[in-house]
Amino acid sequence: MYRLRIFAQNLAIFLSLMIDIGAISAFYLHRFPALREYFPSYRFMPHYILGFALGLLGLLVSFNLYRRVRSAWMITIIVQLIILRLNFISTQNFFSIGSIISLTILLILGLTHRDFSRTIDHNYARKAVFLGFIPLVLALFNTLLSLSFLRRDYLGNTDVYLIFKQSLHFLLTMDVKQAHFNSHVHGFYLVGLIIVTWICVVLALYYLLKPLVYYPILSGREKEKAIALVERYGQNPMAYMTIDGQKSYFFSVTVEGMLAYTVVNNVLVGCGDIVCAPKDAVRFMRELVHFSRRNGWKILFMDITETMRSAYESYGFSMIKIGEDACLRLEDFELKGKKTAKVRANINHARRLGITVSEYKPNDKRDVKIEEELRQVSEEWFGSKGPELGFMLGGLALESPLGRRYFYSRDASGKMLAFVIFVPYAEGEETGYMADVTRRRTHVPNGSMELCLLQAFETMREEGVTWGNLGLCSLANIEDKEDSSKVTTQLFQFIYENMNGVYGFKGLYQAKKKWNPSDWQTRYIAYAPKPFGFSYAYAMLKAQNPKGINKLIIDKLKSKIEK
């Protein structure tokens, strides 16, 4: 039923767009009698510049109708009723093509009026009202001038009310003949009034259609609140990413919880799971869904775990497997056997070359030299790999390391070769660290990175840490178990198999598989409403690539060509 309702609404919006396009092209329509018969309401336009202007304004209304803005719905209803009346006056027939189109739009929008619930921003509404009064003031101004300073050139009626009415008419219709002046001397004056009037009309309509974005009331310490919640409830390895970078925060008012997010078009993209106690997840989701609906947004969670699954599904979210985290249970971890032979060989090679690993602890003492070396390695890394991804990946965070851990390797001469930054997470009594940032210089000996990881895991094991997490293998081991997501899963499988030139899905999987992970922990995306369409796919890419998807592809191609 939901899909049918959305289809009907989109049909009504499409028909409204066609009317707008017809108004824009009215200059050409009047040359074809057959087309004039289909759209008789265009005959009432005094000239075709007016039709062009009204068509452009109509496109603005139709766009906001698609965004389900309430004021756009009201304007569309009023306009279609006017068009229906003009069509009837012109044809004396309620079943002309133009009338049927208007009736269809009115019927669909009338039956589904509750879906157009996005209210307008009252601050902008006040601006729209102010701008709407300016044409009235200009009409009054022209009335007074017509009866005083411009009296000699004015040929119209001397009744104040009629002059005011004529002034308003020529300002809104752009028909200077209705000004009733006998001289071309006042042409610039009349055109100037018309230009100012229509600037006010366009701005007023823009403000009247601007939807209100509801943000929760936040204190000036929202980042501190987010950090505290992550440290208390951050079971997802991605929880630490919520306090990195430029993100917005939604805080619950009924439970302790928050979500870090960004908005791409009309999709709220959540960074990992909601951060709250599992027992409070359903209540948190109720607030989040209400918040999103008031803003007219869809919701997409990226890289989430099984923990909160029941809360998501209770609000109609579909979940699709997006990959697996390669995890090592550190108490059982050892580099023995055939499966880890390659890692073991690389590490032995690095040790023979005199490569060593150290941990940098910026919370204890800052070291300018080490931090500069970390930046140099990063710059060299990006020079060969392309632009840095955002949103779901962290950075160096040297100014605010919090619980991060930094391990780096040096060669025998003391040159930094590679480094790994780990972020903490915990689920119940089990603690873990995820390798969030891994970077190395362009030309380093084999084993420089592996030795870093091994030293880190051994140190953490001695401290009693449960999990060493190598991070997400995107689209790895995707299976189409659920019929509802079969097409989407097949699309992800196709990308995994055929688009490794753009992103090394298989290479990343093999690089982590060689460590012989004890657990492959499933990660999902969750979205609502259904189905999974282009808007969700675009939001996933755009959130990770805020500088632009085109730039990402071009940079990737450049790096491939240079190689």
Side-chain angles (χ1 to χ4, degrees):
M1 192 63 184
Y2 173 80
R3 293 187 184 184
L4 179 61
R5 194 169 73 247
I6 294 300
F7 173 79
Q9 291 171 1
N10 290 337
L11 174 63
I13 294 167
F14 174 76
L15 293 175
S16 180
L17 277 172
M18 291 300 99
I19 293 174
D20 300 332
I21 293 170
I24 291 172
S25 56
F27 178 78
Y28 300 98
L29 284 177
H30 84 281
R31 300 181 183 181
F32 304 98
L35 290 175
R36 289 205 304 270
E37 292 301 319
Y38 290 134
F39 302 99
S41 61
Y42 295 146
R43 298 176 185 174
F44 292 91
M45 293 183 188
H47 54 87
Y48 299 105
I49 295 176
L50 177 61
F52 182 83
L54 291 175
L56 289 179
L57 293 179
L59 291 178
L60 178 62
V61 174
S62 296
F63 171 71
N64 283 281
L65 192 65
Y66 179 75
R67 298 167 73 186
R68 276 40 179 195
V69 178
R70 188 69 176 177
S71 58
W73 178 89
M74 294 171 66
I75 292 171
T76 303
I77 292 292
I78 293 169
V79 169
Q80 292 304 321
L81 286 171
I82 293 171
I83 291 175
L84 185 64
R85 183 172 181 272
L86 293 177
N87 283 334
F88 181 73
I89 291 172
S90 179
T91 63
Q92 296 298 308
N93 181 5
F94 265 122
F95 299 101
S96 65
I97 297 296
S99 297
I100 291 173
I101 290 175
S102 293
L103 285 169
T104 302
I105 295 171
L106 288 167
L107 180 63
I108 293 172
L109 297 185
L111 291 174
T112 63
H113 64 95
R114 291 183 180 178
D115 291 337
F116 297 87
S117 57
R118 293 190 71 178
T119 58
I120 60 173
D121 191 319
H122 293 297
N123 292 324
Y124 285 108
R126 283 193 287 270
K127 291 181 181 179
V129 172
F130 172 76
L131 289 167
F133 272 110
I134 292 178
L136 298 176
V137 173
L138 292 178
L140 182 60
F141 174 72
N142 182 68
T143 300
L144 295 175
L145 287 184
S146 299
L147 293 174
S148 55
F149 296 105
L150 305 179
R151 195 175 199 176
R152 289 183 302 173
D153 298 318
Y154 179 67
L155 301 177
N157 199 298
T158 57
D159 182 81
V160 175
Y161 172 73
L162 289 177
I163 297 174
F164 177 79
K165 187 177 177 181
Q166 290 166 358
S167 299
L168 201 58
H169 185 270
F170 93 79
L171 289 174
L172 294 177
T173 63
M174 308 184 204
D175 189 359
V176 293
K177 294 178 182 178
Q178 296 296 321
H180 298 291
F181 283 103
N182 66 352
S183 171
H184 295 291
V185 175
H186 307 299
F188 287 112
Y189 160 71
L190 297 175
V191 171
L193 287 181
I194 291 171
I195 290 173
V196 172
T197 296
W198 275 87
I199 288 174
C200 292
V201 168
V202 171
L203 288 175
L205 187 63
Y206 172 76
Y207 288 140
L208 197 60
L209 294 170
K210 197 171 182 64
L212 175 61
V213 176
Y214 292 91
Y215 289 108
I217 299 172
L218 304 176
S219 70
R221 299 180 179 178
E222 61 179 27
K223 187 73 81 173
E224 287 79 2
K225 285 177 64 179
I227 292 169
L229 288 168
V230 166
E231 290 176 345
R232 192 173 306 161
Y233 302 117
Q235 53 80 28
N236 188 327
M238 297 304 300
Y240 236 68
M241 300 304 102
T242 63
I243 52 180
D244 249 357
Q246 298 297 316
K247 296 180 177 71
S248 300
Y249 294 98
F250 173 79
F251 290 96
S252 170
V253 296
T254 61
V255 300
E256 276 196 327
M258 70 95 182
L259 174 73
Y261 69 93
T262 187
V263 177
V264 179
N265 293 338
N266 285 328
V267 180
L268 182 154
V269 184
C271 180
D273 282 295
I274 55 177
V275 181
C276 66
K279 65 182 179 61
D280 296 327
V282 173
R283 291 174 66 188
F284 182 93
M285 283 299 297
R286 181 168 63 246
E287 287 186 61
L288 179 65
V289 169
H290 179 64
F291 164 71
S292 182
R293 283 177 179 169
R294 292 180 74 189
N295 284 310
W297 294 336
K298 302 175 184 177
I299 303 178
L300 171 69
F301 293 102
M302 291 178 61
D303 201 351
I304 60 176
T305 65
E306 285 273 3
T307 307
M308 305 291 188
R309 181 169 193 142
S310 61
Y312 300 135
E313 291 182 340
S314 67
Y315 280 90
F317 280 75
S318 294
M319 294 183 66
I320 301 177
K321 184 177 179 180
I322 197 65
E324 295 178 336
D325 273 13
C327 299
L328 307 170
R329 185 173 284 277
L330 295 180
E331 64 179 359
D332 302 324
F333 171 65
E334 56 183 4
L335 289 178
K336 292 182 179 180
K338 194 173 183 180
K339 292 181 178 180
T340 58
K342 188 174 182 179
V343 175
R344 194 166 59 248
N346 286 340
I347 289 173
N348 290 335
H349 174 71
R351 283 173 169 164
R352 285 195 298 270
L353 293 175
I355 295 174
T356 58
V357 174
S358 302
E359 181 177 4
Y360 174 50
K361 300 180 180 180
N363 286 322
D364 293 344
K365 185 180 179 181
R366 298 286 294 273
D367 189 312
V368 176
K369 183 182 177 182
I370 291 176
E371 292 183 6
E372 182 57 33
E373 288 179 295
L374 292 172
R375 293 188 183 96
Q376 289 174 2
V377 173
S378 293
E379 289 173 6
E380 196 169 327
W381 170 261
F382 291 131
S384 62
K385 295 293 183 180
E388 183 176 13
L389 299 179
F391 194 61
M392 302 296 291
L393 290 177
L396 296 180
L398 292 168
E399 299 303 321
S400 181
L402 300 174
R404 290 178 178 82
R405 302 185 69 170
Y406 300 74
F407 290 83
Y408 61 91
S409 60
R410 293 187 184 277
D411 62 16
S413 67
K415 181 181 180 181
M416 186 179 290
L417 302 176
F419 68 86
V420 185
I421 303 175
F422 291 87
V423 294
Y425 65 98
E427 184 171 7
E429 297 298 319
E430 295 187 340
T431 59
Y433 281 91
M434 182 184 73
D436 173 39
V437 178
T438 56
R439 294 172 189 169
R440 58 177 173 77
R441 295 189 184 275
T442 307
H443 302 290
V444 296
N446 288 341
S448 301
M449 182 65 75
E450 288 93 334
L451 188 58
C452 252
L453 289 165
L454 177 65
Q455 182 67 54
F457 291 147
E458 288 179 343
T459 301
M460 293 169 187
R461 179 172 58 193
E462 291 173 4
E463 297 169 353
V465 175
T466 311
W467 295 104
N469 190 323
L470 292 163
L472 178 68
C473 295
S474 298
L475 307 186
N477 301 321
I478 298 290
E479 299 175 4
D480 54 346
K481 292 180 180 179
E482 299 180 17
D483 291 338
S484 62
S485 59
K486 186 175 181 181
V487 175
T488 307
T489 301
Q490 288 176 347
L491 173 62
F492 288 159
Q493 287 175 322
F494 176 83
I495 293 172
Y496 180 80
E497 294 294 336
N498 299 281
M499 298 190 69
N500 285 275
V502 177
Y503 185 87
F505 299 104
K506 290 184 177 180
L508 184 64
Y509 175 67
Q510 293 300 326
K512 295 177 181 180
K513 185 180 178 183
K514 67 186 180 184
W515 287 86
N516 189 28
S518 55
D519 283 68
W520 289 94
Q521 297 179 2
T522 303
R523 298 293 179 256
Y524 302 90
I525 59 172
Y527 60 92
K530 304 174 185 178
F532 186 91
F534 174 79
S535 61
Y536 291 119
Y538 179 78
M540 289 175 65
L541 292 172
K542 182 65 176 177
Q544 285 283 68
N545 304 280
K547 293 182 179 178
I549 297 171
N550 292 339
K551 188 177 187 305
L552 172 71
I553 295 172
I554 291 170
D555 288 339
K556 288 287 185 183
L557 290 175
K558 280 183 179 178
S559 64
K560 293 292 180 184
I561 292 170
E562 288 171 1
K563 288 180 181 179

